[in-house]
Amino acid sequence: MHINPTQLKQVDRQVRRLISCGNFYGTKLKEAGVDGVSSEEDFLALPFSHKEDLRLAYPLGLMAVPEEEVVRIHSSSGTTGTPVIIPYTAKDVDDWGEMFKRCYEFAGITNKDRIQITPGYGLWTAGIGFQNGAEKLGAMVIPMGPGNTEKQLQFMMDLKTTVLTATSSYALLLAEEIEKRGIRDRICLRKGVIGSERWGEAVRMRIRKELGIELYDIYGLTEIYGPGIGINCRYDTGMHIWDDYLYLEIIDPETGKNVPDGEFGEIVITTLVKEGAPLIRYRTHDLSRIIPGECPCGSHFPRIDVIQGRSDDMVKFKGVNFFPKQIEEILSRFPEASSEYQIRISHLDRRDTMRLYVETNGSVDFENLAKRIGAEVKGRIGFMPIVKVVEIGVLPRSEKKTKRVIDERYE
Ligand code: ZN
C-alpha cells in the first residue's frame, strides 16, 4: 500500500500544525529536522512514535489545539505506569461517531436495530464509542455497561435486543449463560459487534454457534479515537479500515521498514484529520497484514487481517518465539477442546517448564487428549508443553481481557 496524494497533503498539514503549536509531537518533529512532507519518501522518514512517548506527554502534552476547543479527554487503561491522556475536539468526537456509524452500516445494522452496549463507560473509549455511532445511525441504544449478567440477560429478553456489542470473552460468557439457562428462544439477537480483544476462530465459532448470530470484529485503540476505525463486512474477508481518516502501514517490528502487502508485521497508524491529539506513525504493537486485492463487497477501503497478537505478547520458551494465537489455532483443530486455555510458564528445578491448561466437556479420555495436543504443539511450534486437560468452566472467564499467558519465570 502506498500513501496517496490526498493523504500526503493531509499529513503535511498535520505535521506543520504540530510544529507550529509546539506540543510534544511538534517538538519531536522539529528536533528530527522535519519541516513538512511532500513525498512518500519524506513520509517514511518521519520518526515513529510509541506509547512510551505518549506517556511522557502526561497529562496534556499531546494537546494540539487551544484548550477552549477541547471538549473531552479519554485515557488508555494504563495498567502499567502512567496513563496516556488523549484530548478530543468536537470535530474529533463527531468524526469518530461517523466512523463508528460506518462500521455498523458495514455490518448491515440499521436504525431499526436495538443495540445493547456492554463495554465499559468512562475514561475508556469503548462504551461511549459504541453509543455515539449507534445514535448517529439512529438505532435504539441500551447502554448497559459491563457486568451484572443477570440484568444483561433480562434486558436482552425484555427489550428484544438485536445487536450485542461486547468483548469476545464477555460475549462468550453471555453465550454460555444463555445456553445454561435454556433461554435461547427468548433471545432476539441477530448480530454481534465484538471489539477490543484479539480472538481466535474457535471462540468465534462457539459464540456464533451458541447464539446463532453473525459476528463482526471491530478495530481501534484509545490513542486513535477508540474502537470503530475499521470492521469486517458481510463477506468476512478481513477488516476494512477507514483510510479517509487514517493512514495505515505494516512494518517489520525489527527493522521498522514497510513490508509488502500480504505479509505480517506491526500496524503503524497516522491520523489524517484529528485535531485534539494527532498521531504520526504511531506503533500499535498489534500484528496483522494488509489483505491484497479487492473485497467482493466492492468497497475500496483497504483490509487488514484479524489481529494476530501483539508484538510484545511474543513469548520466548526454550529458544522458540511464539504467540498465544498459535496455541489457539492448534486447539481449534480439536473439537473435544473448548476455546478457553491458559499457559503457565515457570522455572522449576533449574529448568523452564510450560503447562498448557485446556478445557474439555468431559466425555473424552483426558490423558489421551493431552497427549495428542502435546504432540501437535511439538510438531507445529517446536516444543513439548505439559498439557493438563480440565473440565469445562474450570478456567477463569473475565468481562474484560482474559489473561492467557502467566509467566512466572521472572517473578
Ligand atoms: Zn468488504
Side-chain angles (χ1 to χ4, degrees), residues 106 233 235 237 240 295-299 303:
F106 263 62
C233 65
Y235 291 96
T237 57
H240 288 281
C295 182
C297 77
S299 160
R303 289 166 300 157

Side-chain angles (χ1 to χ4, degrees), residues 107-405:
I109 295 163
T110 72
N111 58 4
K112 291 202 172 121
D113 277 297
R114 299 178 177 187
I115 306 182
Q116 187 157 334
I117 296 171
T118 71
Y121 283 80
L123 283 173
W124 226 30
T125 47
I128 201 163
F130 279 100
Q131 171 149 356
N132 259 347
E135 286 182 354
K136 267 194 190 292
L137 185 70
M140 185 196 291
V141 172
I142 307 166
M144 301 296 293
N148 203 345
T149 301
E150 203 62 44
K151 197 165 189 179
Q152 299 276 5
L153 294 175
Q154 195 61 50
F155 271 51
M156 201 179 276
M157 290 186 288
D158 295 346
L159 286 163
K160 300 187 169 36
T161 302
T162 58
V163 176
L164 171 69
T165 71
T167 60
S168 58
S169 32
Y170 198 52
L172 182 60
L173 187 146
L174 288 173
E176 287 178 342
E177 275 305 310
I178 289 167
E179 174 75 19
K180 216 193 294 171
R181 295 169 189 221
I183 52 172
R184 203 174 131 182
D185 55 345
R186 294 176 61 197
I187 301 289
C188 305
L189 288 181
R190 56 183 200 100
K191 285 166 201 266
V193 180
I194 309 296
S196 88
E197 190 184 2
R198 64 171 199 282
W199 52 325
E201 197 44 39
V203 180
R204 259 189 117 159
M205 266 155 53
R206 259 185 82 199
I207 300 172
R208 200 188 286 143
K209 192 175 127 250
E210 294 196 4
L211 292 177
I213 58 175
E214 273 171 39
L215 289 178
Y216 293 87
D217 294 310
I218 206 154
Y219 183 56
L221 47 172
T222 305
E223 295 82 358
I224 304 142
Y225 296 98
I229 64 174
I231 195 167
N232 53 315
C233 65
R234 67 185 189 283
Y235 291 96
D236 204 10
T237 57
M239 294 182 280
H240 288 281
I241 297 292
W242 314 138
D243 69 347
D244 44 352
Y245 292 92
L246 319 150
Y247 180 66
L248 184 142
E249 302 167 74
I250 304 285
I251 63 159
D252 177 330
E254 298 281 314
T255 65
K257 298 259 181 290
N258 277 228
V259 301
D261 289 359
E263 273 182 33
F264 281 102
E266 180 181 334
I267 300 174
V268 174
I269 294 178
T270 300
T271 62
L272 299 174
V273 291
K274 207 163 187 247
E275 296 178 336
L279 293 186
I280 305 289
R281 301 195 84 200
Y282 181 67
R283 291 187 62 160
T284 64
H285 292 272
D286 285 337
L287 297 168
S288 185
R289 64 185 182 114
I290 301 275
I291 296 179
E294 291 254 308
C295 182
C297 77
S299 160
H300 292 289
F301 288 112
R303 289 166 300 157
I304 58 168
D305 210 332
V306 175
I307 306 299
Q308 302 288 305
R310 290 181 56 75
S311 52
D312 32 33
D313 273 353
M314 198 168 73
V315 185
K316 200 166 184 155
F317 182 72
K318 296 198 166 162
V320 181
N321 291 332
F322 76 99
F323 295 99
K325 178 96 183 164
Q326 290 172 277
I327 299 283
E328 231 162 271
E329 269 162 13
I330 289 173
L331 292 179
S332 71
R333 295 164 190 272
F334 292 89
E336 316 91 301
S338 92
S339 51
E340 294 297 309
Y341 67 95
Q342 194 179 74
I343 296 167
R344 219 169 241 278
I345 307 174
S346 5
H347 189 75
L348 295 169
D349 299 331
R350 277 173 291 156
R351 63 194 190 98
D352 288 347
T353 51
M354 178 194 293
R355 278 161 295 158
L356 169 61
Y357 292 90
V358 180
E359 282 185 349
T360 180
N361 55 26
S363 56
V364 297
D365 178 346
F366 282 24
E367 229 168 274
N368 175 271
L369 177 61
K371 218 183 249 174
R372 285 184 291 134
I373 292 173
E376 193 74 12
V377 172
K378 170 87 178 142
R380 294 185 170 270
I381 309 181
F383 52 76
M384 184 65 109
I386 302 163
V387 182
K388 304 263 188 194
V389 176
V390 297
E391 270 129 21
I392 201 152
V394 168
L395 294 177
R397 263 66 166 167
S398 83
E399 282 163 16
K400 285 193 180 170
K401 302 188 184 194
T402 303
K403 198 167 165 55
R404 302 290 190 188
V405 182

